[in-house]
Amino acid sequence: MQKFAKFAFPTLFASALAFHAAASEIGTEKVKINADIIADGLANPWGMDFLPDGSVIVTERGGAMRIIDKAGKSHAIAAVPKVFVRGQGGLLDVAVAPDFADSKMIYLTYVEPRKRQWGTVLSTAKLVEEKGHYSLAEKQVLLRMSKPGTTNRHFGSRIVIAPDGTIFFTTGDRGQGERAQDMFDESGAVVHVNADGTIPAANPFADGKNGAPAIWSKGHRNIQGATFDPLTKSLLTVEHGAKGGDELNHPEAGKNYGWPVISYGVDYSGKKLGVGTEAPGYEQPQYYLDPSIAPSGLVSYQGNMFPEWNGDLLVGSLKFGELVRLDRDETGKIVGEERMLNNKFGRIRDVNLAPDGSIWLLTDEVDGALIRISRAD
């Protein structure tokens, strides 16, 4: 387990930036990059993924979805599921099915209202296009949290489609840390299901005797970045700590990652959390971040555009408006870090890797933007 060194962070801007500037060239440690604003005017965009034709599907936390085509034009998507929008809740992540060219299916996570309570759900839908108009059809919830609640924070949630076609998605502890240690509560967890919502036989509690069948790992606070890493051939996640203690984890089946029993952060009041930084039965993070950057969005870079970064991890920062590169060696060990963008565009909510090797970002602002990072030289 490693940690970030202490770092002097810039003062946050008081309001969102204007997203109408021309492409800007930015220096980094290894290469110069261009940052192009593809689209702006998005309302708190949260998740994105790439469609086979090169366009991007984007969610907005307030419940809207849209397609941003290659020319930067926005197309609204109709018939989006009803979502609960309050605090950190709303429409969250989106992932395009591997067989989308044939099936037209996508996966969504969002907060669903349920009899005066609400909780994160995973659903699927078919994206239908007719004469340039888009809508969702054949909507189906694959998994509902079995214990909804009334708090308005820590819903997660990222979707990762594994190479075997199964689905990982993440949840938060709903601001109630004890829920992350309840093995029959899908809060504060990595959840794992088949593409049709059934339970994989490999799940650690598949029989339901010692935990909820869909749970993969527990003891997480609020995971808002997740990716399948080709270098280690495993799932990687980043989650919010409290004051300090953001974690990069390699969640494994049946393991407990400690929140709130152990943590490298402290409560916002400055009070110690749990029993300290380690205890028997709880896993250590692969890496932890102190001070907190409020991580959201995670990719393992594999591409031709930036060969200097191959194998490195890229993490978005909400708190400091940065793109953080975690430099890794050939074994996956983190050997350094670099911070880019310096709040140039505002809070970074999502990070994704395009087929051409460029890096795409979403900024979580009232006037949010879709940004493409490419090689300047």
Side-chain angles (χ1 to χ4, degrees):
M1 182 275 301
Q2 303 163 285
K3 70 176 290 293
F4 270 126
K6 294 287 184 180
F7 190 86
F9 290 106
T11 302
L12 296 183
F13 292 147
S15 61
L17 302 175
F19 296 117
H20 300 285
S24 54
E25 186 175 297
I26 301 167
T28 73
E29 288 181 2
K30 294 185 177 182
V31 63
K32 290 182 178 180
I33 62 175
N34 279 331
D36 294 273
I37 297 166
I38 303 301
D40 60 7
L42 303 172
N44 300 111
W46 214 97
M48 63 174 161
D49 205 358
F50 296 93
L51 295 169
D53 66 358
S55 59
V56 181
I57 186 167
V58 175
T59 64
E60 294 174 323
R61 185 165 49 81
M65 291 183 67
R66 58 192 68 251
I67 303 288
I68 309 296
D69 66 24
K70 289 185 287 186
K73 184 178 179 181
S74 173
H75 306 266
I77 300 174
V80 177
K82 181 181 179 181
V83 303
F84 176 86
V85 183
R86 189 180 299 172
Q88 297 172 359
L91 181 57
L92 302 175
D93 206 15
V94 59
V96 173
D99 66 347
F100 178 87
D102 296 320
S103 71
K104 308 301 180 187
M105 301 305 290
I106 62 171
Y107 296 93
L108 297 169
T109 53
Y110 56 91
V111 180
E112 177 191 57
R114 291 169 60 189
K115 295 181 180 179
R116 299 182 182 179
Q117 295 185 319
W118 35 90
T120 309
V121 304
L122 173 71
S123 74
T124 188
K126 185 174 183 177
L127 181 64
V128 177
E129 188 271 331
E130 185 175 356
K131 296 181 180 179
H133 297 281
Y134 296 88
S135 63
L136 297 184
E138 301 178 22
K139 298 183 287 286
Q140 180 183 0
V141 172
L142 299 184
L143 187 75
R144 289 182 169 91
M145 292 177 61
S146 58
K147 299 180 180 181
T150 58
T151 59
N152 299 328
R153 60 191 184 276
H154 297 189
F155 296 99
S157 167
R158 291 292 174 197
I159 305 167
V160 175
I161 303 175
D164 65 2
T166 60
I167 311 296
F168 291 99
F169 77 99
T170 68
T171 68
D173 68 358
R174 300 297 303 278
Q176 299 169 316
E178 67 279 4
R179 295 186 64 171
Q181 291 299 319
D182 180 349
M183 295 302 160
F184 290 90
D185 185 347
E186 296 91 350
S187 301
V190 174
V191 180
H192 185 223
V193 297
N194 291 317
D196 61 358
T198 57
I199 303 300
N203 276 17
F205 310 117
D207 60 8
K209 293 180 180 179
N210 298 311
I215 288 174
W216 180 258
S217 62
K218 282 285 284 181
H220 302 286
R221 185 171 183 262
N222 192 23
I223 299 174
Q224 292 191 348
T227 191
F228 189 86
D229 176 32
L231 182 61
T232 59
K233 296 181 174 57
S234 65
L235 179 72
L236 295 179
T237 62
V238 286
E239 66 186 83
H240 289 239
K243 191 175 180 180
D246 298 340
E247 293 184 1
L248 171 72
N249 282 306
H250 166 204
E252 296 183 79
K255 293 192 176 180
N256 190 321
Y257 291 81
W259 176 259
V261 180
I262 62 171
S263 174
Y264 281 85
V266 296
D267 189 74
Y268 295 108
S269 67
K271 183 180 178 181
K272 179 182 175 181
L273 288 166
V275 300
T277 58
E278 57 184 284
Y282 301 105
E283 303 301 313
Q284 288 290 299
Q286 299 286 305
Y287 203 77
Y288 74 91
L289 298 80
D290 186 12
S292 245
I293 67 167
S296 191
L298 172 69
V299 297
S300 173
Y301 188 82
Q302 315 286 330
N304 295 325
M305 188 172 291
F306 299 104
E308 302 91 342
W309 295 351
N310 270 332
D312 294 346
L313 301 177
L314 298 171
V315 185
S317 165
L318 291 164
K319 188 174 183 181
F320 300 110
E322 294 176 323
L323 180 63
V324 179
R325 180 178 66 86
L326 301 181
D327 188 9
R328 296 195 295 174
D329 65 18
E330 63 279 359
T331 69
K333 180 182 178 181
I334 297 170
V335 295
E337 53 87 12
E338 177 185 11
R339 298 167 187 267
M340 300 174 280
L341 301 188
N342 193 27
N343 209 17
K344 185 175 180 65
F345 302 104
R347 292 159 48 90
I348 297 176
R349 172 61 73 182
D350 199 11
V351 183
N352 212 322
L353 177 61
D356 67 357
S358 61
I359 299 148
W360 291 54
L361 313 174
L362 282 176
T363 63
D364 185 3
E365 308 285 353
V366 175
D367 181 12
L370 176 65
I371 300 163
R372 180 178 185 262
I373 304 296
S374 61
R375 195 179 190 93
D377 54 357

